[in-house]
Amino acid sequence: MIGVYHTPMRTRFRGITARNGVILQRGSDAREFSPFAEYDDDYAARWLAAAVEDFHPRIIRQTIPVNVTIPAVSATDAHQLVHASGGCTTAKVKVGEPGQKLGDDIARLEAVRDALGPGGHIRIDANTAWSVEQAVRILPQLDRAAGGLQYAEQPVATTAQLAKLRRKVDIPLAADESIRRAADPLAVKRLDAADFAIIKVQPLGGIRAATRIAEALGLPTVISSALESSVGLFRGVQLAASLDDELVRASSGEQLACGLATVHLLERDVTTEPLVPTGGRLSVRAITPTRIEAPAAVSSWWLTRLTRVAQHAGIDLDPWRERP
């Protein structure tokens, strides 16, 4: 069975106000195909390969720690989101939002630190917002506001810039776009460009491919969401629960929180039992979609896109189509 979902975002995030995607279901197995609208068919084909991948990894841990994701909201709202996070002790805070000022980021980080207390971890994500020179100036200010950053995720656009920045600041850096959007994700290792790797299942073409890249990079690894429904998030949870222990721990030995607790950013999920954290952790629990619905125009657009990308990639969707 193939269906399309649509949900508004609770807060504008990554420049979007709604999230859409396709759910493919075969028996009890449900998958998600949800590349962002601006992605071309070549890149979207990775997302479809991930959706139809016939692979379930060996699970070696039954729960995983997760961070709460804080959009570019007010300091007051950021404080409340930490308290409503289901016990998360790590927060990932969006910074560098177009139209906002550095003071907004500083206030948000101070509020998150206050809500977490001194023992919590704070990481920031700038989504390639700055030049190297801007990052050198801004990152120490954000580090102070946060009372110490665990890392700054992709503050600059390219891997070469990330490597250059890493030699100019003492704050640990994490590679995201330099892995999932790069023709050569292993350049992050060759250039010694990052301290952490951000790994996402759909953009990398599935759990097998994501595992190979994580292992080849050999960096402390954080498995993160591509802003999916619980169906897509479950594949990330499976990956996080299957990686070797040395990949998912910081140098301190502490298990790194994954960026997979993002259902709270959606107005509604495709299931009445979404993947939300308890005690700051997600369980390895398969999802049964029960609420797949979208306006007719949205559904038509996504089904057309699905067919086009499948033809482009040579992927047979017949096993996922409902048969009489």
Side-chain angles (χ1 to χ4, degrees), residues 159 175-194 197 199 204 209-219:
T159 305
D176 176 14
E177 284 87 347
S178 285
I179 295 172
R180 64 179 170 86
R181 295 304 305 267
D184 180 13
L186 299 187
V188 169
K189 180 177 182 178
R190 288 199 308 276
L191 297 179
D192 199 20
I199 298 292
L204 291 175
T211 301
R212 286 196 298 268
I213 290 171
E215 290 175 345
L217 288 169
L219 294 170

Side-chain angles (χ1 to χ4, degrees), residues 121 123 149-151 166 170-173 194-197 218-222 245-257:
H121 295 299
R123 40 182 76 156
L149 291 171
Q150 187 177 46
Y151 60 71
R166 190 164 179 254
D170 293 329
I171 297 158
L173 303 180
D195 303 275
F196 295 86
L219 294 170
T221 299
V222 175
D245 211 44
E246 60 266 23
L247 283 177
V248 297
R249 294 190 181 276
S251 57
S252 64
E254 182 180 6
Q255 191 173 347
L256 290 162

Side-chain angles (χ1 to χ4, degrees), residues 26-288:
R26 184 172 55 188
S28 61
D29 194 9
R31 306 295 183 85
E32 180 166 342
F33 168 71
S34 54
F36 292 97
E38 69 271 20
Y39 292 165
D40 64 22
D41 289 353
D42 276 339
Y43 189 41
R46 294 191 203 172
W47 299 61
L48 185 54
V52 302
E53 179 182 44
D54 186 18
F55 178 68
H56 291 275
R58 181 176 65 90
I59 302 302
I60 60 176
R61 53 188 73 87
Q62 294 303 312
T63 66
I64 57 166
V66 288
N67 66 232
V68 57
T69 298
I70 308 295
V73 295
S74 69
T76 299
D77 287 347
H79 200 279
Q80 292 172 347
L81 283 170
V82 174
H83 283 298
S85 70
C88 294
T89 58
T90 298
K92 181 171 106 168
V93 182
K94 289 292 182 177
V95 297
E97 180 80 359
Q100 291 193 359
K101 298 178 180 179
L102 178 59
D104 298 318
D105 293 337
I106 288 173
R108 189 178 309 117
L109 286 167
E110 290 174 343
V112 169
R113 173 55 68 198
D114 181 72
L116 282 177
H121 295 299
I122 297 178
R123 40 182 76 156
I124 58 172
D125 185 4
N127 286 118
T128 75
W130 306 312
S131 67
V132 172
E133 293 72 22
Q134 288 172 322
V136 168
R137 174 176 56 85
I138 292 170
L139 285 176
Q141 297 180 68
L142 299 184
D143 186 56
R144 287 193 295 273
L149 291 171
Q150 187 177 46
Y151 60 71
E153 182 176 327
Q154 202 73 45
V156 292
T158 70
T159 305
Q161 289 173 333
L162 200 62
K164 183 177 180 181
L165 176 62
R166 190 164 179 254
R167 286 147 183 78
K168 290 178 175 288
V169 296
D170 293 329
I171 297 158
L173 303 180
D176 176 14
E177 284 87 347
S178 285
I179 295 172
R180 64 179 170 86
R181 295 304 305 267
D184 180 13
L186 299 187
V188 169
K189 180 177 182 178
R190 288 199 308 276
L191 297 179
D192 199 20
D195 303 275
F196 295 86
I198 309 300
I199 298 292
K200 298 178 179 179
V201 171
Q202 280 203 82
L204 291 175
I207 291 178
R208 278 196 187 97
T211 301
R212 286 196 298 268
I213 290 171
E215 290 175 345
L217 288 169
L219 294 170
T221 299
V222 175
I223 307 303
S224 287
S225 156
L227 204 57
E228 299 112 322
S229 75
S230 285
V231 168
L233 291 175
F234 173 62
R235 296 295 279 172
V237 171
Q238 286 183 299
L239 173 59
S242 68
L243 287 178
D244 289 343
D245 211 44
E246 60 266 23
L247 283 177
V248 297
R249 294 190 181 276
S251 57
S252 64
E254 182 180 6
Q255 191 173 347
L256 290 162
C258 294
L260 295 168
T262 53
V263 167
H264 72 284
L265 300 172
L266 309 179
E267 189 68 40
R268 56 179 174 267
D269 197 6
V270 298
T271 175
T272 55
E273 297 182 351
L275 277 173
V276 293
T278 300
R281 304 181 76 88
L282 289 178
S283 298
V284 183
R285 173 174 61 83
I287 298 298
T288 301

